Coordinates of all heavy atoms in Angstrom, one line a residue:
S209 N 55.9 18.6 119.9 CA 56.7 18.9 118.8 C 56.3 20.2 118.1 O 55.2 20.7 118.3 CB 56.7 17.7 117.7 OG 55.4 17.6 117.2
Q210 N 57.2 20.8 117.3 CA 56.9 21.9 116.5 C 57.5 21.7 115.1 O 58.6 21.1 115.0 CB 57.5 23.2 117.1 CG 57.0 23.5 118.5 CD 57.6 24.7 119.0 OE1 57.3 25.9 118.6 NE2 58.5 24.7 120.0
F211 N 56.8 22.2 114.1 CA 57.2 22.1 112.7 C 56.9 23.4 112.0 O 55.8 24.0 112.2 CB 56.5 20.9 112.0 CG 56.8 20.9 110.5 CD1 57.9 20.4 110.0 CD2 55.8 21.5 109.6 CE1 58.1 20.3 108.6 CE2 56.1 21.5 108.3 CZ 57.2 20.9 107.8
A212 N 57.9 23.8 111.2 CA 57.6 25.0 110.3 C 58.3 24.9 109.0 O 59.5 24.6 108.9 CB 58.1 26.3 111.1
M213 N 57.6 25.1 108.0 CA 58.1 25.2 106.6 C 57.8 26.6 106.1 O 56.6 27.0 106.1 CB 57.5 24.1 105.7 CG 58.2 24.2 104.3 SD 57.4 23.1 103.1 CE 55.8 23.9 102.8
K214 N 58.8 27.3 105.7 CA 58.7 28.7 105.2 C 59.2 28.7 103.7 O 60.2 28.1 103.4 CB 59.3 29.6 106.1 CG 58.8 29.7 107.5 CD 59.6 30.7 108.3 CE 58.9 30.7 109.7 NZ 59.6 31.7 110.6
V215 N 58.4 29.5 102.9 CA 58.8 29.7 101.5 C 58.7 31.2 101.2 O 57.7 31.8 101.4 CB 57.9 29.0 100.5 CG1 58.3 29.2 99.1 CG2 57.9 27.5 100.8
A216 N 59.9 31.8 100.9 CA 59.9 33.3 100.6 C 58.9 33.6 99.5 O 58.2 34.6 99.6 CB 61.3 33.7 100.3
S217 N 58.9 32.8 98.4 CA 58.0 33.1 97.3 C 57.7 31.8 96.5 O 58.6 31.0 96.4 CB 58.5 34.2 96.4 OG 59.7 33.7 95.7
L218 N 56.5 31.7 96.0 CA 56.1 30.6 95.2 C 55.3 31.1 94.0 O 54.3 31.9 94.2 CB 55.3 29.6 96.0 CG 54.5 28.6 95.2 CD1 55.3 27.7 94.4 CD2 53.6 27.7 96.1
T219 N 55.7 30.8 92.8 CA 55.0 31.2 91.6 C 54.6 30.0 90.8 O 55.5 29.2 90.5 CB 55.8 32.2 90.7 OG1 56.2 33.3 91.5 CG2 55.0 32.7 89.5
V220 N 53.3 29.9 90.4 CA 52.9 28.7 89.7 C 52.4 29.2 88.3 O 51.3 29.7 88.2 CB 51.7 28.0 90.4 CG1 51.3 26.7 89.5 CG2 52.1 27.5 91.8
G221 N 53.2 29.1 87.3 CA 52.9 29.6 86.0 C 52.2 30.9 85.9 O 52.7 31.9 86.6
N222 N 51.1 31.0 85.2 CA 50.4 32.2 85.2 C 49.2 32.3 86.1 O 48.3 33.1 86.1 CB 49.8 32.5 83.7 CG 51.0 32.7 82.7 OD1 52.0 33.3 83.0 ND2 50.9 32.0 81.5
E223 N 49.1 31.1 87.0 CA 48.0 31.0 87.8 C 48.0 31.9 89.0 O 47.0 32.3 89.6 CB 47.8 29.5 88.3 CG 47.6 28.6 87.1 CD 47.5 27.2 87.5 OE1 47.3 26.9 88.8 OE2 47.6 26.2 86.7
G224 N 49.2 32.2 89.5 CA 49.3 33.0 90.7 C 50.6 33.0 91.4 O 51.5 32.2 91.0
A225 N 50.8 33.8 92.4 CA 52.0 33.9 93.2 C 51.7 34.1 94.7 O 50.8 34.8 95.0 CB 52.9 34.9 92.6
L226 N 52.6 33.5 95.5 CA 52.5 33.7 96.9 C 53.8 34.1 97.4 O 54.8 33.7 96.9 CB 52.1 32.4 97.6 CG 50.8 31.6 97.2 CD1 50.7 30.3 97.9 CD2 49.6 32.5 97.4
S227 N 53.8 34.9 98.5 CA 55.0 35.4 99.1 C 54.8 35.3 100.7 O 53.7 35.6 101.2 CB 55.4 36.7 98.7 OG 54.5 37.7 99.0
G228 N 55.9 35.0 101.4 CA 55.8 34.9 102.8 C 54.9 33.8 103.3 O 54.1 33.9 104.2
L229 N 55.1 32.6 102.6 CA 54.3 31.4 103.0 C 54.8 30.7 104.2 O 56.1 30.5 104.3 CB 54.2 30.5 101.7 CG 53.6 29.1 101.9 CD1 52.1 29.2 102.2 CD2 53.9 28.2 100.7
A230 N 54.1 30.3 105.1 CA 54.5 29.5 106.3 C 53.5 28.5 106.7 O 52.3 28.8 106.9 CB 54.8 30.5 107.4
L231 N 53.9 27.2 106.8 CA 53.1 26.2 107.2 C 53.6 25.7 108.6 O 54.8 25.3 108.6 CB 53.1 25.0 106.2 CG 52.3 23.8 106.6 CD1 50.8 24.1 106.8 CD2 52.5 22.7 105.6
T232 N 52.8 25.7 109.6 CA 53.3 25.4 110.9 C 52.4 24.4 111.6 O 51.2 24.3 111.3 CB 53.4 26.6 111.9 OG1 52.1 27.2 111.9 CG2 54.4 27.6 111.2
S233 N 53.0 23.7 112.6 CA 52.2 22.8 113.4 C 52.8 22.7 114.8 O 54.0 22.8 114.9 CB 52.0 21.4 112.8 OG 53.2 20.7 112.8
H234 N 51.9 22.5 115.8 CA 52.4 22.3 117.2 C 51.6 21.2 117.9 O 50.4 21.1 117.6 CB 52.2 23.6 118.0 CG 52.9 24.8 117.4 ND1 52.3 25.6 116.4 CD2 54.0 25.4 117.6 CE1 53.1 26.5 116.1 NE2 54.1 26.5 116.8
S235 N 52.2 20.5 118.7 CA 51.5 19.5 119.5 C 52.1 19.4 120.9 O 53.3 19.7 121.1 CB 51.6 18.1 118.8 OG 53.0 17.6 118.9
V236 N 51.2 19.1 121.8 CA 51.7 19.1 123.2 C 50.8 18.1 124.0 O 49.6 18.1 123.8 CB 51.6 20.5 123.9 CG1 50.2 21.1 123.9 CG2 52.1 20.5 125.3
R237 N 51.5 17.3 124.8 CA 50.8 16.4 125.7 C 51.1 16.8 127.2 O 52.2 17.0 127.6 CB 51.3 15.0 125.5 CG 50.6 14.0 126.5 CD 51.0 12.5 126.2 NE 50.3 11.6 127.1 CZ 50.4 10.3 127.0 NH1 51.0 9.7 126.0 NH2 49.8 9.5 128.0
T238 N 50.0 16.9 127.9 CA 50.0 17.3 129.3 C 49.3 16.2 130.1 O 48.0 16.2 130.1 CB 49.4 18.7 129.6 OG1 50.0 19.7 128.8 CG2 49.6 19.0 131.1
G239 N 50.0 15.3 130.7 CA 49.3 14.2 131.4 C 48.6 13.3 130.3 O 49.3 12.8 129.4
D240 N 47.3 13.1 130.5 CA 46.5 12.3 129.5 C 45.8 13.2 128.4 O 45.0 12.6 127.7 CB 45.5 11.5 130.3 CG 46.1 10.3 131.1 OD1 47.3 10.0 130.8 OD2 45.4 9.9 132.0
D241 N 46.2 14.5 128.4 CA 45.5 15.4 127.5 C 46.5 15.7 126.4 O 47.7 15.9 126.5 CB 45.1 16.6 128.2 CG 44.5 17.6 127.2 OD1 43.3 17.3 126.8 OD2 45.1 18.6 126.8
F242 N 46.0 15.6 125.1 CA 46.8 15.9 123.9 C 46.2 17.0 123.1 O 44.9 17.0 123.0 CB 47.0 14.6 123.1 CG 47.9 14.8 121.9 CD1 49.2 15.2 121.9 CD2 47.3 14.7 120.6 CE1 49.9 15.5 120.8 CE2 48.0 14.9 119.4 CZ 49.4 15.2 119.6
A243 N 46.9 17.9 122.5 CA 46.4 18.9 121.7 C 47.3 19.2 120.5 O 48.5 19.0 120.6 CB 46.2 20.3 122.5
V244 N 46.7 19.5 119.4 CA 47.5 19.7 118.1 C 46.9 20.8 117.3 O 45.7 20.9 117.3 CB 47.7 18.5 117.3 CG1 46.3 17.9 116.9 CG2 48.6 18.7 116.1
D245 N 47.7 21.7 116.7 CA 47.1 22.7 115.8 C 48.0 22.8 114.5 O 49.2 22.5 114.6 CB 47.0 24.0 116.5 CG 48.4 24.6 116.9 OD1 49.2 25.0 116.0 OD2 48.6 24.7 118.1
V246 N 47.4 23.3 113.5 CA 48.0 23.4 112.2 C 47.7 24.8 111.7 O 46.5 25.2 111.8 CB 47.6 22.4 111.1 CG1 48.2 22.6 109.8 CG2 48.0 21.0 111.7
G247 N 48.7 25.6 111.2 CA 48.5 26.9 110.7 C 49.1 27.2 109.3 O 50.1 26.6 109.0
L248 N 48.4 28.0 108.6 CA 48.9 28.4 107.3 C 48.8 29.9 107.2 O 47.8 30.5 107.5 CB 48.1 27.8 106.1 CG 48.4 28.4 104.7 CD1 49.8 27.9 104.3 CD2 47.3 27.9 103.7
D249 N 50.0 30.6 106.9 CA 50.1 32.1 106.8 C 50.7 32.4 105.4 O 51.6 31.8 105.0 CB 50.9 32.6 107.9 CG 50.3 32.5 109.3 OD1 50.4 31.4 109.9 OD2 49.6 33.5 109.7
V250 N 50.1 33.4 104.8 CA 50.6 34.0 103.5 C 50.6 35.5 103.6 O 49.6 36.1 103.8 CB 49.8 33.5 102.3 CG1 50.3 34.1 101.0 CG2 49.7 32.0 102.2
A251 N 51.8 36.0 103.4 CA 51.8 37.5 103.5 C 51.1 38.2 102.4 O 50.3 39.1 102.6 CB 53.3 38.0 103.6
E252 N 51.4 37.7 101.2 CA 50.7 38.3 100.0 C 50.4 37.2 98.9 O 51.2 36.3 98.8 CB 51.6 39.4 99.3 CG 51.7 40.6 100.2 CD 52.4 41.7 99.4 OE1 52.5 41.7 98.2 OE2 53.0 42.7 100.1
A253 N 49.2 37.3 98.3 CA 48.9 36.4 97.2 C 48.3 37.2 96.1 O 47.5 38.1 96.3 CB 47.8 35.4 97.8
D254 N 48.6 36.7 94.9 CA 48.2 37.3 93.7 C 47.6 36.3 92.7 O 48.4 35.4 92.3 CB 49.3 38.2 93.0 CG 48.8 38.8 91.7 OD1 47.8 39.4 91.7 OD2 49.5 38.8 90.7
F255 N 46.4 36.3 92.3 CA 45.8 35.4 91.4 C 45.2 36.1 90.2 O 44.0 36.7 90.2 CB 44.6 34.7 92.1 CG 45.1 33.9 93.4 CD1 44.7 34.4 94.6 CD2 45.8 32.8 93.3 CE1 45.1 33.8 95.8 CE2 46.3 32.1 94.5 CZ 45.9 32.6 95.7
P256 N 46.0 36.2 89.2 CA 45.6 37.1 87.9 C 44.2 36.6 87.3 O 43.5 37.4 86.8 CB 46.7 36.9 87.0 CG 47.9 36.5 87.8 CD 47.3 35.7 88.9
A257 N 43.9 35.3 87.4 CA 42.7 34.8 86.7 C 41.5 34.9 87.6 O 40.4 34.7 87.1 CB 42.9 33.3 86.3
A258 N 41.6 35.3 88.8 CA 40.5 35.5 89.7 C 39.7 36.7 89.5 O 40.2 37.6 88.8 CB 41.0 35.4 91.2
P259 N 38.4 36.8 89.8 CA 37.7 38.0 89.8 C 38.4 39.2 90.4 O 39.2 38.9 91.3 CB 36.3 37.7 90.5 CG 36.2 36.2 90.4 CD 37.7 35.7 90.5
P260 N 38.2 40.4 89.9 CA 39.0 41.6 90.4 C 39.1 41.7 91.9 O 40.1 42.0 92.5 CB 38.4 42.7 89.7 CG 37.8 42.2 88.4 CD 37.4 40.8 88.8

Side-chain angles (χ1 to χ4, degrees):
S209 64
Q210 300 182 72
F211 170 84
M213 181 185 74
K214 297 180 180 180
V215 180
S217 67
L218 165 61
T219 303
V220 181
N222 297 319
E223 296 179 16
L226 306 176
S227 62
L229 171 68
L231 176 65
T232 59
S233 70
H234 304 82
S235 67
V236 60
R237 177 173 178 173
T238 306
D240 288 341
D241 180 75
F242 179 65
V244 61
D245 64 69
V246 177
L248 173 67
D249 291 82
V250 179
E252 294 188 16
D254 180 45
F255 304 106

